[in-house]
Coordinates of all heavy atoms in Angstrom, one line a residue:
W209 N -22.8 3.7 28.2 CA -23.7 3.3 27.0 C -23.5 1.8 26.7 O -24.5 1.2 26.2 CB -23.2 4.1 25.8 CG -23.8 5.5 25.8 CD1 -23.1 6.7 26.3 CD2 -25.0 6.0 25.3 NE1 -23.9 7.8 26.0 CE2 -25.1 7.4 25.4 CE3 -26.1 5.4 24.6 CZ2 -26.2 8.2 25.0 CZ3 -27.2 6.1 24.2 CH2 -27.2 7.5 24.4
F210 N -22.3 1.3 26.9 CA -22.1 -0.1 26.6 C -22.9 -1.1 27.5 O -23.0 -2.2 27.2 CB -20.6 -0.5 26.7 CG -19.8 0.1 25.6 CD1 -19.0 1.3 25.8 CD2 -19.7 -0.5 24.4 CE1 -18.2 1.8 24.8 CE2 -18.9 0.0 23.4 CZ -18.2 1.1 23.5
D211 N -23.3 -0.5 28.7 CA -24.0 -1.4 29.6 C -25.4 -1.8 29.1 O -26.0 -2.7 29.7 CB -24.2 -0.7 31.0 CG -22.8 -0.3 31.6 OD1 -21.8 -0.9 31.2 OD2 -22.8 0.5 32.5
R212 N -25.9 -1.1 28.1 CA -27.2 -1.5 27.6 C -27.2 -2.7 26.6 O -28.2 -3.2 26.2 CB -27.8 -0.3 26.8 CG -27.9 1.0 27.6 CD -28.6 2.0 26.8 NE -28.5 3.4 27.4 CZ -29.2 4.4 26.9 NH1 -30.0 4.3 25.9 NH2 -29.1 5.6 27.5
I213 N -26.0 -3.1 26.2 CA -25.8 -4.2 25.2 C -24.9 -5.3 25.8 O -24.3 -5.1 26.9 CB -25.3 -3.7 23.9 CG1 -23.9 -3.0 24.1 CG2 -26.3 -2.7 23.3 CD1 -23.3 -2.5 22.8
V214 N -24.6 -6.3 25.0 CA -23.5 -7.2 25.3 C -22.5 -6.9 24.3 O -22.5 -7.3 23.2 CB -24.0 -8.7 25.2 CG1 -22.8 -9.6 25.5 CG2 -25.1 -9.0 26.1
P215 N -21.5 -6.0 24.7 CA -20.6 -5.4 23.7 C -19.8 -6.5 23.0 O -19.2 -7.3 23.6 CB -19.7 -4.5 24.5 CG -20.4 -4.3 25.8 CD -21.2 -5.5 26.1
C216 N -19.9 -6.5 21.6 CA -19.2 -7.5 20.8 C -19.6 -8.9 21.1 O -18.9 -9.8 20.8 CB -17.7 -7.3 20.9 SG -17.1 -5.6 20.6
G217 N -20.7 -9.1 21.8 CA -21.1 -10.4 22.2 C -20.3 -11.1 23.3 O -20.4 -12.3 23.5
I218 N -19.5 -10.3 24.0 CA -18.5 -10.8 25.0 C -19.1 -10.6 26.4 O -19.3 -9.4 26.8 CB -17.1 -10.2 24.8 CG1 -16.6 -10.5 23.5 CG2 -16.2 -10.7 26.0 CD1 -15.3 -9.8 23.2
R219 N -19.3 -11.7 27.1 CA -20.0 -11.6 28.4 C -19.1 -11.7 29.6 O -19.5 -11.5 30.7 CB -21.1 -12.7 28.5 CG -22.2 -12.6 27.5 CD -23.1 -13.8 27.5 NE -24.1 -13.7 26.4 CZ -25.3 -13.1 26.5 NH1 -25.7 -12.5 27.6 NH2 -26.1 -13.1 25.5
D220 N -17.8 -12.0 29.4 CA -16.9 -12.2 30.5 C -15.8 -11.1 30.5 O -14.7 -11.3 31.1 CB -16.3 -13.6 30.5 CG -15.5 -13.8 29.2 OD1 -15.5 -13.0 28.3 OD2 -14.8 -14.9 29.2
A221 N -16.0 -10.0 29.9 CA -15.0 -8.9 29.9 C -15.8 -7.6 29.7 O -17.0 -7.6 29.6 CB -14.0 -9.1 28.7
G222 N -15.0 -6.5 29.7 CA -15.7 -5.2 29.6 C -15.1 -4.3 28.6 O -14.4 -4.6 27.7
V223 N -15.3 -3.0 28.9 CA -14.7 -1.9 28.1 C -13.9 -0.9 28.9 O -14.0 -0.9 30.1 CB -15.8 -1.1 27.3 CG1 -16.6 -2.0 26.3 CG2 -16.8 -0.6 28.3
A224 N -13.0 -0.2 28.2 CA -12.1 0.7 28.8 C -12.0 2.0 28.0 O -12.5 2.0 26.9 CB -10.7 0.1 29.0
S225 N -11.4 3.0 28.5 CA -11.1 4.2 27.8 C -9.7 4.7 28.1 O -9.1 4.3 29.2 CB -12.1 5.3 28.1 OG -11.9 5.9 29.4
L226 N -9.0 5.4 27.3 CA -7.7 6.0 27.5 C -7.8 6.8 28.8 O -6.8 6.8 29.6 CB -7.2 6.8 26.3 CG -6.7 6.0 25.1 CD1 -6.6 6.9 23.9 CD2 -5.4 5.3 25.5
A227 N -8.8 7.7 28.9 CA -8.9 8.6 30.1 C -8.9 7.8 31.4 O -8.2 8.1 32.4 CB -10.1 9.5 30.0
Q228 N -9.8 6.7 31.4 CA -9.9 5.9 32.6 C -8.5 5.2 32.9 O -8.1 5.3 34.1 CB -10.9 4.8 32.4 CG -12.3 5.2 32.5 CD -13.3 4.0 32.3 OE1 -13.0 3.1 31.4 NE2 -14.4 3.9 33.0
E229 N -7.9 4.6 32.0 CA -6.7 3.8 32.2 C -5.5 4.7 32.6 O -4.7 4.3 33.3 CB -6.4 2.9 31.0 CG -7.5 2.0 30.6 CD -7.7 0.9 31.8 OE1 -6.8 0.6 32.5 OE2 -8.9 0.5 31.9
L230 N -5.4 5.9 31.9 CA -4.3 6.8 32.2 C -4.5 7.6 33.4 O -3.6 8.2 33.9 CB -4.0 7.6 31.0 CG -3.5 6.9 29.7 CD1 -3.4 7.8 28.5 CD2 -2.1 6.3 30.0
G231 N -5.8 7.7 33.9 CA -6.1 8.5 35.0 C -5.9 10.0 34.8 O -5.5 10.8 35.7
R232 N -6.1 10.5 33.6 CA -6.0 11.9 33.3 C -6.9 12.3 32.2 O -7.5 11.4 31.5 CB -4.5 12.3 32.9 CG -4.1 11.7 31.6 CD -2.7 12.1 31.2 NE -2.1 11.6 30.0 CZ -2.4 12.0 28.7 NH1 -3.2 13.0 28.6 NH2 -1.8 11.4 27.7
E233 N -7.1 13.5 31.9 CA -8.0 14.0 30.9 C -7.2 13.7 29.5 O -6.1 14.1 29.3 CB -8.3 15.5 31.0 CG -9.1 16.0 29.9 CD -10.5 15.4 29.8 OE1 -11.0 14.9 30.8 OE2 -11.1 15.3 28.7
V234 N -7.9 13.0 28.6 CA -7.4 12.8 27.3 C -8.5 13.1 26.3 O -9.7 12.9 26.6 CB -7.1 11.3 27.1 CG1 -6.4 11.1 25.8 CG2 -6.2 10.8 28.2
T235 N -8.2 13.8 25.2 CA -9.2 14.3 24.3 C -8.9 13.6 23.0 O -7.9 13.2 22.6 CB -9.1 15.8 24.1 OG1 -7.9 16.2 23.5 CG2 -9.3 16.5 25.5
V236 N -10.0 13.6 22.2 CA -9.9 13.1 20.8 C -8.9 13.9 20.0 O -8.1 13.4 19.2 CB -11.3 13.0 20.1 CG1 -11.1 12.7 18.6 CG2 -12.2 12.0 20.8
E237 N -8.9 15.2 20.3 CA -8.0 16.2 19.6 C -6.6 15.8 19.8 O -5.7 15.9 18.9 CB -8.3 17.6 20.1 CG -7.5 18.7 19.4 CD -7.7 20.0 19.9 OE1 -8.1 20.2 21.1 OE2 -7.6 21.0 19.1
E238 N -6.2 15.4 21.1 CA -4.9 15.0 21.4 C -4.5 13.7 20.7 O -3.4 13.5 20.2 CB -4.7 14.8 22.9 CG -3.4 14.3 23.4 CD -3.3 13.9 24.8 OE1 -4.3 14.2 25.6 OE2 -2.4 13.3 25.3
V239 N -5.4 12.7 20.7 CA -5.2 11.4 20.2 C -5.1 11.3 18.6 O -4.3 10.5 18.1 CB -6.2 10.4 20.7 CG1 -6.1 9.1 20.1 CG2 -6.1 10.3 22.2
L240 N -5.8 12.2 18.0 CA -6.0 12.1 16.6 C -4.7 12.1 15.7 O -4.5 11.2 14.9 CB -6.9 13.3 16.1 CG -7.3 13.4 14.6 CD1 -8.0 12.1 14.2 CD2 -8.2 14.6 14.4
P241 N -3.8 13.1 16.0 CA -2.6 13.0 15.1 C -1.7 11.8 15.5 O -0.9 11.3 14.6 CB -1.9 14.4 15.5 CG -2.5 14.8 16.8 CD -3.9 14.2 16.8
V242 N -1.7 11.3 16.7 CA -0.9 10.2 17.1 C -1.4 8.9 16.3 O -0.6 8.2 15.8 CB -1.0 9.9 18.6 CG1 -0.2 8.7 19.0 CG2 -0.5 11.2 19.4
V243 N -2.7 8.8 16.3 CA -3.3 7.6 15.5 C -3.0 7.7 14.1 O -2.7 6.8 13.4 CB -4.8 7.5 15.8 CG1 -5.5 6.5 14.9 CG2 -5.1 7.1 17.3

Side-chain angles (χ1 to χ4, degrees):
W209 282 93
F210 288 100
D211 298 344
R212 303 188 191 187
I213 60 175
V214 181
C216 306
I218 297 174
R219 299 174 185 269
D220 62 349
V223 293
S225 71
L226 284 167
Q228 280 179 327
E229 299 296 329
L230 292 173
R232 66 175 178 85
E233 180 61 27
V234 187
T235 65
V236 171
E237 183 181 29
E238 175 189 351
V239 172
L240 184 55
V242 179
V243 169

